[in-house]
Amino acid sequence: MLTYLMTAIAVLALLFVIMSVKIVHQGYRYTIEHFGRFIRVAEPGFNFVPPFFYRVGRKVNMMEQVLDIPGQEIITKDNAMVAVDGVVFFQVLDPAKAAYEVSDLYSALMALSTTNLRTVMGSMDLDETLSKRDEINARLLIVVDEATEAWGVKITRVEVKDIRPPQDISNAMARQMKAEREKRANILDAEGFRAAAILKAEGDKQSRILESEGRKEAAFREAEARERAAEAEAKATTLVSDAIAGGNSQAINYFIAQKYVEAVAEFARSPNAKTILFPVEATQLIGSLGGIGEIAKMAFAPDKSAPEQAPKGRAQSGVPRIEG
């Protein structure tokens, strides 16, 4: 009888010990209650919690968690209807507050995030909601984090996943974007044509300037050449005059012969000349020149009373016949 009693006591003691041992996993905290009143938080590892008098109240996840906000129909400041959904990242810092300050933490976070999302985006225009996501996320983070501080929860991030405007607004935005792109393309084309016209005009200007400078340089060189030719002609005339004044008939012979040859060449180049007759024998041309020289001697000889008559044959042979 005593043996059965001792065995029963041992079994009950073993069951009591087994029921008292609580293993808390890493990343979790358990709240311990004594007759329904919170007394402490069980840390990860081995914990002894006597049954009947103590019990585990709540098992709180201390890791960072993600709460998905379902799609919401929100009216913006300019009365545009948009569909929005997002996510909230949070972490429990105080398990006691998270367990006893709010009845359902997840439902409370969902409702709080949804209402604040409507409030923030409802105070903005449609263009602002589409272009200022970072500002929306920052404002939501500040508001929701302040509201959940009393629950022992830290809101780490709030992100708006998608903003879907109505189809007609999407079509209008697409047309607006297309028109804006076409406008920029036309502006770029116009600027390109303007730049090309400016470059072309600048090139024409430079070309005309260079052409004018070339004509100026050519005219200057031509004038210089004429000036040098005139100087040479004047110098030659001066030399011939000096030679004639000194009684040298060879200079005037050379001068007259040169003019004679030039006159014959001009006759030959004339477009109206059909028939030209002139002495073709060199002796006749020399005879003519000799006759002209004799006349010059008689004209400039001071010691003779009468000039000698030039030979008739030479004078007659030196006169050319020209038919036009």
Side-chain angles (χ1 to χ4, degrees), residues 12-314:
L12 291 175
L14 182 60
L15 291 175
F16 181 82
V17 171
I18 292 173
M19 294 175 63
S20 300
V21 174
K22 303 296 180 181
I23 304 298
V24 181
H25 298 284
Q26 184 67 35
Y28 286 86
R29 300 291 188 275
Y30 293 174
T31 60
I32 307 301
E33 298 176 354
H34 178 63
F35 293 111
R37 183 174 64 88
F38 170 75
I39 57 173
R40 67 183 181 91
V41 176
E43 299 293 332
F46 178 84
N47 289 272
F48 184 79
V49 181
F52 309 115
F53 304 102
Y54 299 91
R55 72 181 185 92
V56 175
R58 302 286 181 87
K59 297 180 180 180
V60 182
N61 187 349
M62 302 295 293
M63 295 179 287
E64 186 172 3
Q65 303 174 65
V66 180
L67 179 64
D68 192 10
I69 302 175
Q72 305 290 324
E73 296 290 337
I74 299 176
I75 300 176
T76 61
K77 186 178 179 180
D78 52 355
N79 297 323
M81 184 73 69
V82 293
V84 183
D85 55 5
V87 290
V88 177
F89 297 85
F90 68 96
Q91 184 177 12
V92 176
L93 301 180
D94 191 337
K97 289 183 178 181
Y100 300 107
E101 295 294 335
V102 58
S103 61
D104 189 346
L105 179 62
Y106 293 96
S107 298
L109 288 174
M110 178 71 70
L112 184 63
S113 301
T114 302
T115 55
N116 283 279
L117 181 62
R118 290 177 179 272
T119 301
V120 172
M121 296 192 65
S123 63
M124 304 174 68
D125 295 334
L126 177 61
D127 293 339
E128 293 178 340
T129 59
L130 296 175
S131 61
K132 297 182 179 180
R133 289 198 179 191
D134 293 338
E135 182 179 344
I136 295 173
N137 296 336
R139 292 175 61 180
L140 284 174
L141 177 61
I142 294 173
V143 174
V144 178
D145 187 48
E146 288 179 355
T148 57
E149 185 178 1
W151 302 341
V153 176
K154 174 64 177 176
I155 305 298
T156 56
R157 288 191 303 276
V158 178
E159 298 289 340
V160 175
K161 289 197 302 183
D162 191 15
I163 301 176
R164 297 180 299 276
Q167 188 63 36
D168 55 345
I169 296 179
S170 298
N171 295 335
M173 292 171 61
R175 291 194 300 270
Q176 180 182 2
M177 180 182 66
K178 182 179 179 181
E180 187 67 24
R181 291 182 181 275
E182 289 179 352
K183 175 184 176 182
R184 289 200 296 266
N186 293 332
I187 291 174
L188 291 177
D189 290 341
E191 290 179 352
F193 291 144
R194 176 174 174 270
I198 291 173
L199 291 176
K200 183 179 179 181
E202 189 69 24
D204 294 340
K205 175 184 176 182
Q206 294 294 331
S207 177
R208 288 194 295 270
I209 291 174
L210 293 177
E211 185 178 356
S212 300
E213 290 180 354
R215 289 198 299 268
K216 176 182 177 182
E217 183 68 20
F220 175 76
R221 293 184 180 276
E222 184 178 356
E224 186 178 3
R226 288 197 302 270
E227 181 180 359
R228 291 184 179 180
E231 291 177 355
E233 185 72 18
K235 185 176 182 180
T237 304
T238 303
L239 293 176
V240 170
S241 300
D242 295 341
I244 293 173
N248 187 359
S249 61
Q250 297 296 326
I252 193 171
N253 288 341
Y254 171 76
F255 187 74
I256 294 173
Q258 181 183 10
K259 296 299 180 181
Y260 181 80
V261 172
E262 291 177 358
V264 172
E266 289 295 330
F267 283 134
R269 285 195 295 268
S270 176
N272 297 323
K274 297 180 180 179
T275 304
I276 301 175
L277 298 177
F278 59 91
V280 296
E281 296 180 355
T283 56
Q284 294 177 354
L285 179 59
I286 295 172
S288 299
L289 298 177
I292 295 171
E294 292 295 334
I295 294 173
K297 286 181 179 181
M298 291 184 294
F300 294 102
D303 55 345
K304 294 181 179 181
S305 59
E308 296 180 359
Q309 186 177 359
K312 184 183 295 185
R314 293 181 179 178

